[in-house]
Amino acid sequence: MIHNDLKGKCYIMTTLCGVCYGKFRPYTNNGGSLAAASGHDFTLLAADSQLVHGMTIASTVFERTSALGNLAALGTSGCVADCDSLSHDLRMEAERYFWGAEMSMEASVAAQVCSQMMYARRAFPYYASLLLCGLDRFGTGRVCVFDSFGSITEGQMVAVGSAQGVLQAVLDRFAPRYFPRFRCIDDAKEVLLSAFKVAARRDVSVGHFVDLTLVSRTEILCDTVLIRACD
């Protein structure tokens, strides 16, 4: 097994019967878990702040969320290079929309823009799990997730990322109680933090801190919450 670094890309050369075969491996999973809940006039996005590379913790205070104007926010997990590239392009599109339409990009518009950008890269897709939340033109909370080719799925409480299985199971437990949407921000915050506390005990990729992003009709607020004590 010979490791050769060529122009920043990793090629693994395997010798088999005297013949060398090169395998192109452009993707790496840097972890990350996200969950979001929609309310009648708000959305709440929660993201863990731990960045991993293999079995190494690269950072415990990594920001996975970014604001797209005043009415939408984006959370990413997966390959950090693809996540940063996609987040940057979406922020630029949100700026263009603001100066062209003289208004912030609403959640439905941001979802369509994100879907088109991901579909354009279908031949070499982004290795990223996206969670977009915000308000529509009526001021109602919307939460959208995307597959690798840009297909959009909307839900009341949705989770993506490394601990998706654990997070979604906890969220589904509370879903009937708050169907179809949350009426109180405190209830949404309690449910999301409960899900992350459960995931932190069962998934090593979930860090000690959770970043909360609240999208309301007036502003976008950010907060960081400690979900388990640092050993």
Side-chain angles (χ1 to χ4, degrees):
M1 186 75 69
I2 302 175
H3 297 274
N4 181 27
D5 189 8
L6 178 60
K7 295 182 180 180
K9 302 184 186 303
C10 181
Y11 291 85
I12 299 179
M13 307 300 294
T14 304
T15 303
L16 181 62
C17 299
V19 182
C20 291
Y21 299 92
K23 295 183 179 180
F24 179 51
R25 302 181 184 273
Y27 296 128
T28 183
N29 187 4
N30 298 113
S33 301
L34 304 109
S38 61
H40 285 278
D41 57 354
F42 70 91
T43 55
L44 187 62
L45 172 63
D48 82 299
S49 60
Q50 183 166 279
L51 178 69
V52 299
H53 181 70
M55 296 301 295
T56 302
I57 299 176
S59 175
T60 60
V61 290
F62 182 75
E63 294 186 4
R64 300 189 179 279
T65 60
S66 56
L68 304 177
N70 297 325
L71 297 177
L74 177 72
T76 60
S77 68
C79 179
V80 66
D82 284 352
C83 292
D84 287 346
S85 176
L86 187 55
S87 298
H88 175 269
D89 292 343
L90 282 172
R91 288 196 302 270
M92 294 301 101
E93 290 296 330
E95 287 289 333
R96 294 191 187 99
Y97 184 89
F98 176 79
W99 292 110
E102 297 184 353
M103 60 183 300
S104 295
M105 183 183 293
E106 62 189 52
S108 58
V109 177
Q112 289 295 328
V113 173
C114 183
S115 176
Q116 293 173 5
M117 293 177 62
M118 298 186 72
Y119 183 75
R121 282 282 301 269
R122 61 190 181 278
F124 193 10
Y126 291 103
Y127 188 53
S129 299
L130 305 184
L131 188 53
L132 189 146
C133 65
L135 306 180
D136 60 15
R137 59 178 179 174
F138 303 108
T140 305
R142 302 288 184 183
V143 175
C144 301
V145 294
F146 308 83
D147 66 5
S148 300
F149 303 104
S151 296
I152 305 173
T153 303
E154 185 175 348
Q156 174 200 6
M157 291 185 288
V158 182
V160 299
S162 301
Q164 178 185 11
V166 180
L167 289 172
Q168 193 64 59
V170 178
L171 296 179
D172 290 344
R173 169 66 177 80
F174 291 99
R177 184 183 305 177
Y178 300 102
F179 183 83
R181 286 182 173 86
F182 285 91
R183 295 185 178 274
C184 178
I185 297 175
D186 292 335
D187 291 340
K189 181 178 179 179
E190 181 181 359
V191 170
L192 292 179
L193 290 180
S194 297
F196 269 96
K197 288 178 181 178
V198 173
R201 294 194 293 266
R202 290 166 172 79
D203 195 305
V204 296
S205 66
V206 179
H208 296 80
F209 299 95
V210 170
D211 296 326
L212 297 175
T213 303
L214 173 66
V215 182
S216 63
R217 295 184 179 182
T218 57
E219 58 186 345
I220 295 181
L221 298 177
C222 299
D223 189 19
T224 301
V225 179
L226 177 68
I227 58 173
R228 63 178 177 180
C230 300
D231 298 330

